[in-house]
Amino acid sequence: MALEDAKKQVDTAFTEKNQRGLRYENAFGGATSFLRRQYTKDLTGVDVAITGVPFDQAVTNRTGTRLGPRAIREASTLQPYDPPYGWGFDPLSEFAVVDYGDLAFDYAHTPSFPDKLTTHIKGILDAGAASITLGGDHYISFPILRAYAEKYGPLSLLHFDAHSDTWADDDMSRIDHGTMFYKAVKEGLIDPKRSVQVGIRTVNDDNLGVPTIDAREVHETGPVAVAKKIKDILGDNQTYLTFDIDCLDPAFAPGTGTPVWGGLTSGQASIILRDIAGINLVGGDVVEVSPPFDTTGATAIAGAHVAMEILALWCWTRRKTA
C-alpha cells in the first residue's frame, strides 16, 4: 500500500477491518479516528485502545479541553502514513491498535463522572489491552490511575507539566485538576519516591517527595541528560505517563487552559520521550489541549505527536520482551 491508495480509499476508520498496518487516505477527508485506526468497541485481540475523555469541568482558567480529543484525532491524520520518526520500527503494523471512541457521561451530573471513567478504563484493562487517553482536563488522570492501580498495584508516575498538581486536598470527592496527584499519593495509587515530574515552573511548597526536574533544569542540562535521569529514577517500575500539554511553552502550545512561559520546546519534549525508551510503561494520557485558544492547530498537533510517542514507548517495551 502507498499514498496512491488515497485515490480509492476513504473512511478507513470504518472500512478497514485489519487492526494493524499504516493507513493511506487523503488527510483532509474521511473519518478522523486517531491515526485512522479502526473504530471499535470490540477489544478482542487488541493491544492498545485509544480513548477520548472530553471533560473540562475543573479547568483553572480557559475552558475548552472537552474539544481536545476531537482536535487531537483531526491533527493525527497527517501521521498514519509512516512509522514514527526515530524509533526504527512501526508500532501500527506490529501491534493491534484501535480507537475505542469516547467515554459517555452525564455532563449535568459531575459527581458521577470519576467512577464512570474508572469503570471505562477498567473495561479496557480487563480485556487485556492498555489505554492511551486523549483529554480532557488533567483531573481525568486520577480516576484512570485508580483503574491501573487496581490491576498493577502502586505505580511510578511520569508527569510532564508546568504544575505539580500536588496541592493539598483531603476531600477525595472534590473534582480539581490541581490536587489529583496529592490524592493519588494519599490513596496509594503511585509511589512518590519512584515517580518524577518534568517541566515544573510554578510554586508548590510540598510535592510529597516526588523528584522534580523543573523546566530550568531541562534547558540547562539538555533533554538527553534529563531522559537519563528519568530512567534512573523510574528503574523498571511499572509506570503511567501523563503529559499535560502546558508542559510545553505557550510558543509551542498556546491552546491550553493554564499557559505558563519558560516551558519545554516541542523539540526537547520529543527527544526526552524518544530517549526514555525502555521504561516499563503500562499506559498514558495527554491532556489539556484546548483548541479554541489556538487557531493554528499547533497545540493539537503537539498532542497528537505526544500520544504517538506514548504508543511507541509502550510498544517498545513489549517488542523487546516478546
Side-chain angles (χ1 to χ4, degrees), residues 39-50:
Y39 267 123
T40 182
K41 297 296 186 183
D42 181 1
L43 295 179
T44 304
V46 169
D47 296 307
V48 180
I50 311 296

Side-chain angles (χ1 to χ4, degrees), residues 24-196:
Y24 303 95
E25 63 180 277
N26 289 322
F28 51 81
T32 51
S33 63
F34 184 71
L35 299 174
R36 305 288 193 182
R37 308 324 296 164
Q38 179 193 18
Y39 267 123
T40 182
K41 297 296 186 183
D42 181 1
L43 295 179
T44 304
V46 169
D47 296 307
V48 180
I50 311 296
T51 189
V53 181
F55 178 80
D56 67 355
Q57 183 270 343
V59 178
T60 302
N61 184 24
R62 305 186 304 190
T63 57
T65 56
R66 67 180 59 184
L67 302 175
R70 182 182 299 174
I72 291 171
R73 286 185 173 103
E74 182 178 352
S76 77
T77 59
L78 288 171
Q79 296 173 256
Y81 311 119
D82 301 296
Y85 182 79
W87 283 91
F89 78 106
D90 176 11
L92 299 181
S93 295
E94 293 192 22
F95 294 87
V97 181
V98 303
D99 194 321
Y100 193 59
D102 285 356
L103 170 71
F105 61 94
D106 185 350
Y107 72 89
H109 195 268
T110 304
S112 66
F113 170 78
D115 287 345
K116 188 85 169 176
L117 176 53
T118 299
T119 300
H120 179 74
I121 298 299
K122 188 176 183 299
I124 294 172
L125 300 180
D126 288 348
S131 69
I132 296 175
T133 304
L134 314 177
D137 78 43
H138 210 162
Y139 174 80
I140 70 171
S141 297
F142 181 41
I144 293 172
L145 283 169
R146 281 175 165 162
Y148 269 86
E150 182 177 331
K151 178 171 182 176
Y152 293 106
L155 300 162
S156 290
L157 180 71
L158 175 51
H159 173 201
F160 291 84
D161 206 328
H163 315 87
S164 67
D165 295 331
T166 56
W167 284 279
D169 181 4
D170 291 308
D171 182 351
M172 295 298 171
S173 67
R174 284 191 70 252
I175 296 176
D176 189 322
H177 79 153
T179 69
M180 68 282 178
F181 294 136
Y182 174 92
K183 294 172 181 176
V185 172
K186 295 298 182 180
E187 281 197 7
L189 307 181
I190 60 176
D191 178 357
K193 291 183 174 58
R194 299 303 299 272
S195 299
V196 58

Side-chain angles (χ1 to χ4, degrees), residues 254-315:
T256 182
T258 47
V260 183
W261 79 328
L264 276 60
T265 69
S266 57
Q268 287 172 326
S270 69
I271 293 170
I272 293 170
L273 290 169
R274 176 60 185 84
D275 280 15
I276 59 173
I279 65 170
N280 188 7
L281 191 72
V282 294
D285 61 56
V286 54
V287 297
E288 306 231 351
V289 172
S290 189
F293 298 97
D294 179 9
T295 57
T296 71
T299 309
I301 291 169
H305 280 274
V306 168
M308 180 72 242
E309 296 299 294
I310 295 173
L311 173 61
L313 283 166
W314 186 92
C315 293

